[in-house]
Amino acid sequence: MERLENTGVSVFYPSPASAGTNLKNATLFTRINIIASPEVTKAALESTPTLQNTFCLGHLNNVLIFDNDGEEHTSHVSAVLEMLVARDLKAYIHGCAFDKASWTDAGFQFDNAGREAFMVVLREHLAPDARNGHS
């Protein structure tokens, strides 16, 4: 994930490419808001081999978990929460969104940023008219 400095925007390059398909086709989304800097969050995600971008991605100090299957989603959310415990990190519960039906309900906005990339923005960073679907 490449972060564009001081913009609140990052670019998600799914690897493998199937991760992008998984994100587009997911029906369950959970956002975990971590009480840590974006750098600490990124390091924690990258150093946890069981957390793969085929089902989760980090943006700033947030993790989005995306799946199609409820049991699998619960397992993936548990894996992220276990990573937090193992690294003595905590989630800000009021910044989290569990078991949402869309990435927008979980607080994220994605736009295509090329053939195999997505621009990622937290919805609270969007202008009010953009949050409501107006351009």
Side-chain angles (χ1 to χ4, degrees), residues 2-133:
E2 179 180 325
R3 190 168 150 223
L4 305 176
E5 288 301 313
N6 301 319
T7 64
V9 175
S10 60
V11 179
F12 174 50
Y13 296 97
S15 178
S18 63
T21 302
N22 293 349
L23 175 63
K24 287 185 208 175
N25 295 332
T27 57
L28 281 169
F29 299 86
T30 291
R31 172 185 176 177
I32 305 293
N33 181 250
I34 301 172
I35 302 171
S37 70
E39 295 77 18
V40 168
T41 301
K42 179 180 179 182
L45 288 170
E46 289 178 351
S47 66
T48 307
T50 57
L51 299 181
Q52 303 170 4
N53 73 4
T54 56
F55 66 85
C56 74
L57 64 89
H59 175 67
L60 302 175
N61 63 325
N62 293 272
V63 177
L64 180 68
I65 302 121
F66 48 91
D67 290 291
N68 282 316
D69 176 77
E71 284 185 36
E72 192 171 52
H73 190 69
T74 299
S75 173
H76 290 154
V77 170
S78 293
V80 171
L81 294 174
E82 288 168 9
M83 177 272 299
L84 294 180
V85 170
R87 285 165 178 70
D88 201 27
L89 296 170
K90 298 188 183 333
Y92 177 63
I93 195 68
H94 297 294
C96 297
F98 294 92
D99 298 333
K100 300 299 180 182
S102 70
W103 59 51
T104 56
D105 290 343
F108 280 79
Q109 179 68 40
F110 290 92
D111 290 306
N112 286 329
R115 189 167 181 191
E116 294 183 19
F118 299 90
M119 182 175 64
V120 183
V121 182
L122 291 175
R123 292 188 53 77
E124 63 257 27
H125 292 170
L126 294 173
D129 58 342
R131 279 184 237 146
N132 296 324

